[in-house]
Amino acid sequence: AQSVTQLDSQVPVFEEAPVELRCNYSSSVSVYLFWYVQYPNQGLQLLLKYLSGSTLVKGINGFEAEFNKSQTSFHLRKPSVHISDTAEYFCAVVTGGGNKLTFGTGTQLKVEL
Amino acid sequence: DGGITQSPKYLFRKEGQNVTLSCEQNLNHDAMYWYRQDPGQGLRLIYYSQIVNDFQKGDIAEGYSVSREKKESFPLTVTSAQKNPTAFYLCASSRGSGVNTEAFFGQGTRLTVV
């Protein structure tokens, strides 16, 4: 069975500082990985995805993530955050032959002035 | 514009009532999903459907029912058997399985029991 762990429930950071949101997954087979962002009282929007190929994936709003198979991780990074990045971020995984996403519990990113 | 439409945005239900949440998509996606979101628990899968007239239970299906009579529509009924229905409900769709499992989400319905 696949599962996703987001260890940090909240991450406070000052504006223009770098940030990393951690995501680890467990699966014994090949996986596809996703990061989504959710603003208050809205649905989820795709930030980026890893399907195959280069392990460094670039997404929208200046975010990027690196797939590390040996560490079963897919951490999300941004070199300089903005107030508008304040939101909840979800990591999700699906196994190669699977048909549904499994989500982590989310990380609330709070950017402060 | 293609997308997923959920209605209503806010819904209030009295104890013992059934309510139905609407989800419509015009993305021509085969698969549709219903998730429940509670604070600190992430998204939990209620039901999903890979094709018209077929659906499967997710992790927390008890107290819920669905139908998939049309490709575009996947309504969710929250029955009186659901003990704690107050939550934010999200509908999603995808092209299919595996690499096509990238999900597109609606704006959600917030259900409150009064």
Side-chain angles (χ1 to χ4, degrees), chain A residues 32 34 36 38 41-44 46 49 51 90 94 96 98-101 103-105, chain B residues 9 33 35 37 42-43 45 48 50 88 90 97-99 101-103 105-107 110:
Chain A
Y32 304 114
F34 305 82
Y36 285 85
Q38 184 183 34
N41 293 310
Q42 294 189 25
L44 275 67
L46 183 71
K49 59 187 175 185
L51 303 178
F90 292 94
V94 61
N99 56 11
K100 58 185 188 295
L101 288 167
F103 285 86
T105 52
Chain B
K9 189 171 178 64
Y33 312 82
Y35 291 90
Q37 186 177 19
L43 277 72
L45 184 64
Y48 63 105
Q50 295 293 115
F88 191 52
L90 287 161
S97 60
V99 70
T101 316
E102 174 188 340
F105 284 82
Q107 292 300 294
R110 186 166 297 280

Side-chain angles (χ1 to χ4, degrees), chain A residues 57-102:
Chain A
V57 179
K58 294 189 182 298
I60 62 171
N61 301 340
F63 283 93
E64 63 181 33
E66 185 158 17
F67 170 58
N68 188 319
K69 187 174 182 179
S70 63
Q71 297 188 8
T72 60
S73 68
F74 191 53
H75 300 333
L76 181 71
R77 302 184 182 100
K78 186 169 183 178
S80 175
V81 296
H82 189 268
I83 285 286
S84 60
D85 292 323
T86 295
E88 191 153 22
Y89 293 79
F90 292 94
C91 182
V93 64
V94 61
T95 56
N99 56 11
K100 58 185 188 295
L101 288 167
T102 297

Side-chain angles (χ1 to χ4, degrees), chain B residues 7 13 23 36 45 51-55 63 69 72 74-75 77-78 84 86-87 91 95 97-99 102 106 112:
Chain B
S7 62
R13 189 194 95 170
C23 178
R36 171 180 171 141
L45 184 64
I51 195 170
V52 174
N53 292 323
D54 188 42
F55 48 83
E69 298 177 0
E72 306 80 28
F74 192 42
T77 297
V78 184
N84 184 22
T86 294
C91 179
R95 284 184 293 162
S97 60
V99 70
E102 174 188 340
T112 304

Side-chain angles (χ1 to χ4, degrees), chain B residues 15-96:
Chain B
E15 295 273 359
Q17 279 185 336
N18 292 355
V19 289
T20 297
L21 283 60
S22 171
C23 178
E24 303 278 332
Q25 56 101 358
N26 60 3
L27 298 168
N28 199 32
H29 284 172
D30 287 319
M32 296 188 74
Y33 312 82
W34 274 106
Y35 291 90
R36 171 180 171 141
Q37 186 177 19
D38 297 282
Q41 297 194 49
L43 277 72
R44 293 182 291 168
L45 184 64
I46 305 173
Y47 269 97
Y48 63 105
S49 168
Q50 295 293 115
I51 195 170
V52 174
N53 292 323
D54 188 42
F55 48 83
Q56 288 79 42
K57 293 182 179 179
D59 302 317
I60 55 165
E62 185 175 351
Y64 300 97
S65 66
V66 294
S67 63
R68 187 87 187 275
E69 298 177 0
K70 298 186 300 181
K71 187 176 186 178
E72 306 80 28
S73 179
F74 192 42
L76 173 74
T77 297
V78 184
T79 75
S80 57
Q82 170 50 236
K83 300 304 180 190
N84 184 22
T86 294
F88 191 52
Y89 291 87
L90 287 161
C91 179
S93 71
S94 71
R95 284 184 293 162

